[in-house]
Amino acid sequence: MVSLKLQKRLAASVLNCGARKIWMDPNEINEISSANSRQNIRKLVKDGFVIRKPTKIHSRARTCREQAAKRLGRHTGYGKRRGTREARLPTKVLWLRRHRVLRRLLKKYRDAKKIDKHMYHSMYLKCKGNVFKNKRVLMEAIHKAKAEKAREKSLADQFEARRAKNKATRTRKIARREDRIAAGIAGLVQEK
């Protein structure tokens, strides 16, 4: 058997692939062995005596199918789990996700003038203190706080109105009394 090491190396160089991808026609060994230059190898390639083997197929069909099933929640029971719960989905990641959602909502409400900067700050600190477990709870808390604030404002307004009314009544009463006293004094002076 003739050594075709040189021819294989040259063919690999010409066809721009590795030596393991080169196929040489076993029926044309003599002609191939006489080729000792790249030019000759190119001719053999053109004639079809030297061929570059096709790349082997590494199918991902099975993997894709498995992943599609996993997305539906299959094959994820206790027996399939290798890492701890914390390693699979860290609580820090959950915390960050939740926090970003809450802070985004607060920022949106503040920009839309739904809450003022004071309420924003107090709610921000409460979020940081783990008071709200999700967006819905935070929204309810904001609505509740706004309602409470509105109620307090209306009560304060009522109280202020009552105070103003009483003051006006008192001033009128005092003015009337002074008028009566002045009238009484005037009457006494006339009688004399």
Side-chain angles (χ1 to χ4, degrees):
M1 177 86 187
V2 187
S3 173
L4 299 174
K5 204 182 243 183
L6 170 72
Q7 285 76 4
K8 191 161 265 197
R9 181 174 65 75
L10 291 174
S13 178
V14 166
L15 293 171
N16 197 20
C17 64
R20 64 201 287 268
K21 285 285 178 199
I22 299 298
W23 176 86
M24 296 178 172
D25 194 342
N27 304 324
E28 306 293 337
I29 295 276
N30 293 331
E31 199 172 330
I32 291 170
S33 64
S34 66
N36 59 358
S37 68
R38 289 167 198 273
Q39 192 66 48
N40 295 350
I41 295 291
R42 281 195 196 95
K43 187 178 181 306
L44 293 173
V45 169
K46 195 177 175 192
D47 296 340
F49 299 155
V50 175
I51 297 173
R52 175 181 178 168
K53 289 183 198 170
T55 53
K56 289 214 167 68
I57 289 173
H58 183 183
S59 173
R60 281 192 57 80
R62 285 182 297 280
T63 311
C64 288
R65 197 167 62 223
E66 182 80 3
Q67 282 174 347
K70 266 193 173 177
R71 277 195 287 276
L72 294 172
R74 315 288 184 268
H75 321 292
T76 51
Y78 292 125
K80 291 283 183 185
R81 299 180 197 172
R82 297 296 294 276
T84 61
R85 178 188 290 167
E86 188 68 16
R88 286 163 68 84
L89 184 58
T91 49
K92 185 176 181 180
V93 169
L94 293 173
W95 168 265
L96 276 172
R97 278 183 194 165
R98 191 177 77 195
H99 243 64
R100 284 174 182 166
V101 164
L102 297 179
R103 286 179 178 178
R104 207 178 297 128
L105 179 77
L106 282 177
K107 193 165 180 295
K108 194 173 90 176
Y109 271 25
R110 185 183 62 183
D111 293 343
K113 301 280 190 294
K114 286 187 180 178
I115 58 175
D116 60 353
K117 63 182 182 180
H118 305 293
M119 188 184 282
Y120 170 86
H121 188 64
S122 67
M123 290 292 176
Y124 188 97
L125 291 178
K126 281 183 179 176
C127 286
K128 188 181 177 186
N130 200 17
V131 174
F132 311 114
K133 69 174 184 175
N134 56 34
K135 195 168 157 182
R136 182 178 53 78
V137 174
L138 173 59
M139 283 166 79
E140 283 173 6
I142 288 171
H143 293 321
K144 200 173 175 184
K146 279 176 75 177
E148 184 65 29
K149 203 173 177 186
R151 197 173 71 84
E152 280 176 9
K153 191 174 182 297
S154 71
L155 283 174
D157 289 349
Q158 284 174 14
F159 183 68
E160 193 60 43
R162 196 177 299 135
R163 210 145 136 220
K165 189 179 164 192
N166 289 346
K167 194 175 182 186
T169 310
R170 206 178 304 122
T171 51
R172 271 205 311 275
K173 205 183 271 182
I174 289 167
R176 227 180 295 134
R177 190 182 297 145
E178 284 174 356
D179 288 349
R180 273 207 306 272
I181 290 168
I185 290 170
L188 285 173
V189 169
Q190 282 176 1
E191 281 175 14
K192 283 181 182 177

